Amino acid sequence: MTTAAETLARPARVGFASRAWRFVARHSLTVYALLAVAYLMLPIAIVILFSFNHPTGRFNYVWHKFTFDNWIHWNSVLGIQSALEKSLEIALLATFVATALGTLIALAIVRHRFVGRGATNVVVFLPMSTPEIVMGSSLLALFLNEQNTIQLGFWTIFIAHVMFIISFVVVTVKARLIGFDRHLEEAAMDLGANEWTTFQKVTLPLLAPAIIAAALLGFALSIDDFVITYLNAGPVQTFPIFVWGVARVAVPPQVNVVASAIFLVAIGLGLANVVWQYRAAKSTRGGT
Amino acid sequence: MAVESRERPDRGQTPGQTPNETVDVRLDHVTKSFDDVVAVDDVSLEIPHGSFFALLGPSGCGKTTTLRMIGGFEEPTDGAIYLGEEPVTGRPPYKRDVNTVFQSYALFPHLSILENIAFGLRRRGVRGKEVRGRVLDILRLVGLEGLERRKPRQLSGGQQQRVALARALVNKPRVLLLDEPLGALDLKLRKQMQLELKAIQHDVGITFIHVTHDQEEAMTMADRIAVMNQGHVEQLGPPDELYERPASAFVAGFLGVSNLLSGVVEDPDGVRLADGTLVQAQVDGKRGPVAAGVRPEKITLGESGGQNRLPGTIAETAYIGVATQFVVDTPAGTVHVFAQNIDSGKRIPVPGSNVTLSWSPESTFVVERGEEMSE
C-alpha cells in the first residue's frame, strides 16, 4: 500500500515541473506571435481610434471625446478632398497603364527571343532595386530642362508611377507565365481559335490571377508613394503630399479618417480575394 | 463500351494495300531543321483515308515533329504538306481541318468539361442547344456521360485522356493527330485504351495518325506503320509486313527481337555466314555484306524447322511458362530461340548441351548491315 502511495505521489511532483515546462513550451510561440502582431497593429489601431476623437485644440494627440463628426465631415479640411481625388486618379490610371504594358513586356520576355531581351530583363528590374530618392531625383533631372517643355504636375507623376509599377507587374506576371503550358494555346488554335481568340479565351483567363495581383500591388504602391511623387509633383498635391504639408502644423483627425478608410478598403479587398480564391479552389478540387 | 467484340481488328486482310483510294494526308519531300539540327529529313508519306496510321520510332527520330507539321504547329523548312488535294503548308493550325490529342492532354483548366469539348464547336459558329447535344453525344461515345460539369482537375488521368479525345473528335476533323496519347497512363489502362481507340476509330471512320515509341502499341492499333529513325522513314507498311520482312537492321531490331547473322550474299537465294554456313533466303537483289535475320520464335531446336541449319551449344535457358527462351552460341554468332511449351512432358535441353537449330528460308530476311549490329 505504502509503495503504491509513493509511486503515485512522485510522478505528481515531477509532473508539475514538466507540466509547467510543457505549458511554456506550448504557449511561448503563441505569445510571441501575438506580441509581434500587436507591434504591427498597434499604430494602425491608434490611427483608427483617433479618427473618432474630438480633440480640444489643434492637436489630435490626446483622447478627449468620441465622435462621428470627423467621419461625417471628412472633407471639411481645405484641400483634403482634392488631394485624395488626385491620388486615386493617378493610382487608377497609372495602375491600368502599367498593368497593360507590364503584362505585354512579361509576355515578350518569356515567349520571344529578340535582340536586347537580356538587357530588357535587367532594366525592368532596376526601378525595384533603385532607392526612391535616386529615382525621384533622376526623373526630376529628366523633366527639368532648359526649354522647360515639360511642366511638372499630374503627367510627370503619372509617368513616374507607371515606371515603377511596371517592374512589379512584369515580375508577377512573368512568374505565372514561366509555368504556363504552351500546349494549351496550341490546343486552342488547333480547335479553330485564331491568335486573338486564343489570347482572349485561354491566355488571359489563365493569367488573370497574376494580373489582378499585380494591379492591386501597383495601386497600393502608387497611392502611398511620397518620395518620387514629391520630387516630380510641381504644384500638384496628392494625398501623401497633403498629409506631409499639414503635418508641419497639426494633423487634423480627418487625415486619420481617410487613412482608416484606405486601410479598411485594403483589408476588405484582401478578404474578398481570399474568399474568392477559396471558393475557386473548392469548386475545382471538390466533388469526387 | 463494347470493345471485346472488336479485339481482332480486321487488318491483315489487305496487307500492303491502301484501305481506300483517297489520300487524306500527303507529305512531299518534307524537311524540318531547327538551327543546324535536322529533325525530319526529306520525308514523303501518303496516308490513305480512314486508316489508323502510326509513326513509330525512338525519341528524337522526328515523329513528333512530323505530326506537329501536319497540325500546323511547325512549318517545314522544305517540302509541302497536303490535306487531301489542298496544300496547307504555311497555314496556321486554325485553318487546317485536323485536330490534335496532345500528350499532356492540354485541357483548359479554367473551363468545364462541357466547355472544353464545346471550344472547337463554338469557334465554328455552332450555337445554342446543338452545342450541348453534340458534346453529350461525344461524351457518351468515350464513356464519360454525366461528367460534363466537372473541371479537368477533378478527373483521373484516363478520364482526362478521353476528354482530350472527345474535344478533338467532336469537330469531326478530316484527320485526328495523336501525340503519344497513352504515354501518361499506367500499363493496364493503356492496354484498355489501345483497344478502345481502335474501336472508336473504326466507329467514326476518321483517319488517325498516331505517334508512339511503343512498338507493341503501334502493332496493336495501327493498320499501317511508318518506322522512323534519325529523321527518315525506314520502312512503311502493315504491322505483319514490318515484322516478317523488315527492310533494315534498325526495323528488325526495333520491332521485336531479331537474330541478325552477318554474312555475304553469295547466290540469288543465299547468304554465306561468317562461319561458312550457307543460309537460304530471299535476297531481293541485295549485294555484298548483309545480315541474315530470323525471329527467335521461327527457330526450332532440332532439324524439323526447315532447310536452314546451324549447330550450336546452349548457353542459357529461361523458362517463362508459356515458352522457354534459349540463348545459343553458334559459330555464326549468338542466337536467341523462343520455343513454345506445347508438350508438357518434353525435356528442356540444359545449358551446355549441343543442339542443331533449324528454320525455313521463308522466315529468313536479309537486311543491309546496320550500325546497330555489334558483329
Side-chain angles (χ1 to χ4, degrees):
Chain A
M1 289 295 272
T2 46
T3 47
E6 268 167 21
T7 46
L8 273 175
R10 242 162 79 230
R13 225 176 294 130
V14 173
F16 177 73
S18 72
R19 248 190 299 154
W21 169 244
R22 246 185 288 151
F23 182 83
V24 172
R26 194 184 302 145
H27 295 287
S28 57
L29 183 64
T30 316
V31 171
Y32 174 76
L34 285 174
L35 283 174
V37 170
Y39 181 80
L40 290 171
M41 289 299 163
L42 208 60
I44 297 170
I46 286 176
V47 166
I48 296 174
L49 181 69
F50 275 83
S51 73
F52 295 103
N53 190 20
H54 185 78
T56 41
R58 285 211 317 240
F59 298 101
N60 186 20
Y61 298 147
V62 182
W63 182 260
H64 176 63
K65 204 171 97 188
F66 183 87
T67 177
F68 279 117
D69 284 354
N70 307 324
W71 284 79
I72 295 161
H73 306 292
W74 70 274
N75 55 358
S76 63
V77 178
L78 190 69
I80 191 168
Q81 188 174 354
S82 66
L84 184 63
E85 282 168 1
K86 202 55 81 187
S87 271
L88 286 172
E89 231 174 283
I90 290 169
L92 286 171
L93 197 61
T95 302
F96 180 77
V97 171
T99 306
L101 284 177
T103 303
L104 295 178
I105 293 174
L107 276 164
I109 289 177
V110 175
R111 293 289 174 80
H112 300 282
R113 303 274 167 271
F114 53 91
V115 180
R117 178 171 168 268
T120 313
N121 224 340
V122 174
V123 168
V124 150
F125 273 90
L126 274 183
M128 281 173 85
S129 52
T130 313
E132 282 199 55
I133 187 73
V134 174
M135 214 160 72
S137 48
S138 27
L139 276 168
L140 180 61
L142 175 77
F143 293 140
L144 289 178
N145 51 25
E146 269 179 73
Q147 286 80 29
N148 218 12
T149 41
I150 302 168
Q151 290 288 312
L152 289 182
F154 184 88
W155 292 109
T156 50
I157 301 174
F158 165 78
I159 290 168
H161 283 207
V162 167
M163 193 182 110
F164 66 76
I165 297 172
I166 277 186
S167 308
F168 291 92
V169 176
V170 171
V171 170
T172 318
V173 176
K174 226 174 82 175
R176 178 92 179 178
L177 266 174
I178 285 169
F180 195 100
D181 182 5
R182 290 299 301 273
H183 288 309
L184 292 173
E185 285 163 327
E186 288 185 348
M189 293 178 83
D190 184 71
L191 293 165
N194 60 23
E195 287 83 356
W196 172 241
T197 314
T198 301
F199 183 74
Q200 243 184 309
K201 298 275 180 191
V202 176
T203 318
L204 208 54
L206 290 174
L207 288 183
I211 295 174
I212 292 169
L216 287 176
L217 183 65
F219 186 83
L221 287 168
S222 166
I223 205 154
D224 86 331
D225 183 74
F226 178 72
V227 178
I228 298 172
T229 312
Y230 184 68
L231 283 165
N232 296 285
V236 172
Q237 275 212 329
T238 64
F239 186 66
I241 294 174
F242 168 82
V243 174
W244 188 77
V246 293
R248 282 183 295 186
V249 190
V251 179
Q254 278 79 0
V255 170
N256 293 43
V257 170
V258 174
S260 306
I262 291 175
F263 174 74
L264 292 175
V265 167
I267 289 282
L269 284 176
L271 280 177
N273 187 35
V274 168
V275 169
W276 179 63
Q277 298 253 337
Y278 176 76
R279 286 242 182 103
K282 213 173 135 193
S283 77
T284 51
R285 278 188 221 120
T288 40
Chain B
M1 206 177 283
V3 286
E4 289 78 7
S5 58
R6 300 193 193 91
E7 250 179 35
R8 293 300 317 155
D10 50 11
R11 71 159 128 86
Q13 289 174 358
T14 54
Q17 173 184 322
T18 57
N20 203 315
E21 317 79 46
T22 52
V23 170
D24 259 349
V25 179
R26 188 154 67 85
L27 273 67
D28 188 16
H29 297 286
V30 168
T31 297
K32 175 71 184 176
S33 323
F34 296 99
D35 299 322
D36 26 320
V37 182
V38 181
V40 175
D41 192 359
D42 194 28
V43 165
S44 295
L45 281 177
E46 283 194 349
I47 299 170
H49 173 73
S51 61
F52 200 127
F53 192 93
L55 285 167
L56 173 67
S59 62
C61 72
K63 57 191 191 299
T64 296
T65 308
T66 306
L67 194 81
R68 288 175 60 80
M69 285 193 285
I70 299 171
F73 307 115
E74 308 281 356
E75 282 306 323
T77 319
D78 214 353
I81 297 170
Y82 299 85
L83 286 179
E85 293 303 310
E86 270 178 292
V88 295
T89 326
R91 269 199 219 170
Y94 50 85
K95 287 186 182 156
R96 298 185 185 206
D97 193 12
V98 297
N99 284 115
T100 309
V101 176
F102 291 86
Q103 184 171 15
S104 60
Y105 312 142
L107 300 178
F108 306 127
H110 59 299
L111 299 180
S112 66
I113 300 309
L114 180 87
E115 283 306 318
N116 260 281
I117 299 173
F119 195 91
L121 294 176
R122 292 198 196 282
R123 301 286 87 71
R124 278 165 180 77
V126 183
R127 289 281 174 269
K129 279 185 178 169
E130 200 194 335
V131 174
R132 197 180 160 79
R134 282 175 68 174
V135 170
L136 295 184
D137 282 349
I138 203 86
L139 274 174
R140 207 169 301 122
L141 178 76
V142 298
L144 288 181
E145 48 268 86
L147 297 185
E148 67 273 8
R149 292 167 75 175
R150 300 269 183 90
K151 288 277 177 71
R153 249 179 294 179
Q154 294 169 259
L155 302 188
S156 69
Q159 288 172 326
Q160 290 184 20
Q161 209 281 325
R162 285 160 200 250
V163 174
L165 181 68
R167 188 178 66 175
L169 276 178
V170 76
N171 306 298
K172 301 196 175 96
R174 178 167 197 143
V175 179
L176 186 79
L177 308 175
L178 302 115
D179 183 11
E180 304 252 8
L182 310 179
L185 305 179
D186 63 60
L187 185 67
K188 198 178 159 201
L189 199 53
R190 195 155 68 225
K191 296 271 177 221
Q192 186 193 336
M193 281 306 294
Q194 285 173 6
L195 298 172
E196 268 188 43
L197 266 178
K198 182 76 196 161
I200 288 171
Q201 194 264 342
H202 194 273
D203 282 353
V204 296
I206 293 172
T207 307
F208 278 33
I209 305 179
H210 178 208
V211 157
T212 181
H213 64 269
D214 182 343
Q215 50 104 3
E216 208 180 308
E217 186 172 298
M219 305 256 278
T220 309
M221 295 161 77
D223 38 45
R224 289 173 74 76
I225 300 174
V227 181
M228 289 189 71
N229 182 31
Q230 297 181 341
H232 299 278
V233 173
E234 289 265 336
Q235 191 176 359
L236 197 161
D240 49 350
E241 188 185 302
L242 296 186
Y243 187 79
E244 300 287 341
R245 308 225 64 84
S248 68
F250 176 82
V251 175
F254 197 75
L255 273 86
V257 181
S258 291
N259 295 300
L260 293 176
L261 305 167
S262 302
V264 178
V265 175
E266 189 161 294
D267 62 71
D269 295 316
V271 174
R272 179 75 65 188
L273 299 185
D275 68 318
T277 315
L278 185 72
V279 169
Q280 290 186 25
Q282 283 185 301
V283 176
D284 293 330
K286 292 186 182 69
R287 287 158 189 273
V290 293
V294 60
R295 297 286 182 183
E297 74 278 8
K298 314 255 156 121
I299 304 176
T300 309
L301 293 181
E303 301 195 338
S304 60
Q307 285 157 280
N308 289 332
R309 304 265 159 89
L310 207 56
T313 312
I314 290 179
E316 276 175 54
T317 67
Y319 178 80
I320 54 165
V322 63
T324 306
Q325 293 176 327
F326 299 93
V327 180
V328 182
D329 287 329
T330 75
T334 306
V335 173
H336 291 262
V337 181
F338 198 75
Q340 277 208 297
N341 296 328
I342 294 167
D343 301 324
S344 301
K346 207 173 159 189
R347 193 181 61 86
I348 296 167
V350 293
S353 44
N354 292 321
V355 289
T356 301
L357 307 177
S358 62
W359 68 94
S360 71
E362 291 76 44
S363 47
T364 314
F365 53 86
V366 177
V367 295
E368 308 277 343
R369 251 187 252 176
E371 290 155 20
E372 297 82 8
M373 290 180 61
S374 50
E375 286 139 321

